[in-house]
Amino acid sequence: MRKKGQGFAHTRAFWMFVSPALILFTVFFLVPLALAIGFSFTNYDGWKTMDFVGLKNYIKLFTDADFYATLKRTFVYAIVNLPFKVALPLLVASLVCSKYMYGKTVVRTFIYIPVLLSALVAGITINWMFGEEYGLVNFIIQSFGGTPLKWAMNPVLATTVVSVASNWVSIGFYMIMFIGGINNISQELYEAASVDGANKVDSFFRITLPLLAPTTFIVLLLSTVNLLKEYTLVQGITTGGPGTSTTYIIQYIFNQGFTQMRYGYASAIGIIVGIIFIVIAGIQFKFSNSGGEV
């Protein structure tokens, strides 16, 4: 009886700890997911109309040229920015972990501050820096005799601004992950490599990088997902313009649902995009050398 009582107490404690997260997961993920799946088979307009239309939304989706164009634009944006999402935090983490770096705590704090900023504040800051008339970047360009650039009017420049902002606000978060990985590497390995004649560059590529493979895989996975679902920052900077040059898949879903009031169609897009994201994550797990270690 005593063992049964202890077992019941452990079970009760387990569910007491798990239930808050389980409730939140159910309310904010499972229920919306079930509703989205249900809406995807209707012509729900967010108000009165909600007739069952079967696979009509999915059939329309797979013949929608705008959907394919937006998806392609999203993939290009993610592929171009992914190397920077991994390389820049790794470089910064390596520098702030160096024994030659002074004021490490202050430097880490300043680099991490953008992570704490809301998307609105980050967007205002970036818009100020890249403003056409009074922007800091154009001021510097003019100081060297150059011509101010119309950042918001040029599709390539607008995409560049979004990319810079995305890397700026995330570099601190991934830097912390790399710092944790670097600090877990035994210093004896570097000492042994130094005795064998290896310089700092050799030690970085032969010791640091291989041993950071699990951390790099996590950063790669998180960066891929975050790039594919980039939304708030883009809305705060360009709102998808000029034209549709910075309109990515999440903006497209939002526009279809909340702007054009086609909730059923937007739900179908969301389901397909979610499946695509899962497939991409699965491929990364399968083909990454670190996938089995995480």
Side-chain angles (χ1 to χ4, degrees), residues 8 12 57 59 81 128 139 174-175 194 206 208 232 235 249 280:
F8 175 77
R12 183 178 61 181
N57 287 327
I59 295 172
N81 282 279
W128 169 75
F139 173 78
Y174 299 128
M175 175 198 70
S194 178
R206 295 179 179 274
T208 306
T232 310
Q235 287 295 105
I249 195 62
I280 292 174

Side-chain angles (χ1 to χ4, degrees), residues 41 49 52 58 63 194 219 229 235 242 265 271 279 283 289-290:
F41 296 103
T49 304
F52 181 77
Y58 291 96
T63 58
S194 178
V219 172
K229 65 182 184 68
Q235 287 295 105
Y265 186 58
I271 297 301
V279 170
I283 292 174
N289 292 330
S290 305

Side-chain angles (χ1 to χ4, degrees), residues 150-164:
K150 298 181 178 180
W151 298 96
M153 302 301 295
N154 186 295
V156 176
L157 294 179
T159 304
T160 301
V161 172
V162 173
S163 299
V164 170

Side-chain angles (χ1 to χ4, degrees), residues 105-121:
T105 302
V106 176
V107 174
R108 293 177 185 180
T109 301
F110 275 106
I111 295 175
Y112 191 79
I113 285 177
V115 179
L116 305 177
L117 299 178
S118 69
L120 178 61
V121 174

Side-chain angles (χ1 to χ4, degrees), residues 11-270:
T11 303
R12 183 178 61 181
F14 169 80
W15 285 110
M16 288 179 63
F17 281 108
V18 171
S19 57
L22 187 61
I23 292 172
L24 292 174
F25 181 76
T26 301
V27 172
F28 292 103
F29 180 79
L30 294 182
V31 172
L33 177 61
L35 290 174
I37 294 174
F39 289 155
S40 69
F41 296 103
T42 70
N43 61 350
Y44 182 48
D45 64 352
W47 183 239
K48 294 181 178 180
T49 304
M50 192 170 65
D51 301 320
F52 181 77
V53 295
L55 298 176
K56 184 178 179 180
N57 287 327
Y58 291 96
I59 295 172
K60 181 180 180 180
L61 170 63
F62 288 115
T63 58
D64 187 351
D66 291 337
F67 168 73
Y68 288 111
T70 305
L71 196 60
K72 177 183 177 182
R73 191 182 306 117
T74 304
F75 283 142
V76 171
Y77 170 77
I79 292 171
V80 170
N81 282 279
L82 193 57
F84 297 99
K85 288 282 188 177
V86 178
L88 291 178
L90 176 58
L91 176 61
V92 172
S94 299
L95 292 176
V96 298
C97 287
S98 172
K99 63 181 179 181
Y100 302 105
M101 171 68 70
Y102 295 98
K104 294 182 180 180
T105 302
V106 176
V107 174
R108 293 177 185 180
T109 301
F110 275 106
I111 295 175
Y112 191 79
I113 285 177
V115 179
L116 305 177
L117 299 178
S118 69
L120 178 61
V121 174
I124 293 173
T125 304
I126 291 297
N127 283 329
W128 169 75
M129 291 178 61
F130 290 92
E132 182 179 348
E133 295 183 4
Y134 305 105
L136 175 63
V137 177
N138 274 348
F139 173 78
I140 296 174
I141 292 175
Q142 286 180 298
S143 300
F144 287 94
T147 303
L149 299 176
K150 298 181 178 180
W151 298 96
M153 302 301 295
N154 186 295
V156 176
L157 294 179
T159 304
T160 301
V161 172
V162 173
S163 299
V164 170
S166 179
N167 284 282
W168 174 59
V169 300
S170 65
I171 189 172
F173 176 74
Y174 299 128
M175 175 198 70
I176 295 298
M177 297 180 67
F178 278 121
I179 288 175
I182 291 173
N183 288 336
N184 284 331
I185 300 176
S186 174
Q187 291 299 315
E188 295 178 356
L189 296 175
Y190 294 105
E191 294 172 1
S194 178
V195 171
D196 291 338
N199 55 33
K200 297 296 182 182
V201 176
D202 293 332
S203 298
F204 178 78
F205 283 101
R206 295 179 179 274
I207 298 176
T208 306
L209 275 184
L211 293 180
L212 282 178
T215 305
T216 303
F217 172 73
I218 293 297
V219 172
L220 185 67
L221 181 64
L222 293 177
S223 299
T224 302
V225 174
N226 289 331
L227 284 169
L228 291 174
K229 65 182 184 68
E230 196 84 82
Y231 172 75
T232 310
L233 194 63
V234 178
Q235 287 295 105
I237 299 174
T238 65
T239 63
T244 59
S245 59
T246 58
T247 299
Y248 304 119
I249 195 62
I250 304 302
Q251 280 84 12
Y252 186 72
I253 295 174
F254 183 90
N255 291 336
Q256 292 294 321
F258 294 96
T259 303
Q260 301 186 32
M261 308 303 289
R262 300 160 67 185
Y263 286 85
Y265 186 58
S267 297
I269 299 174

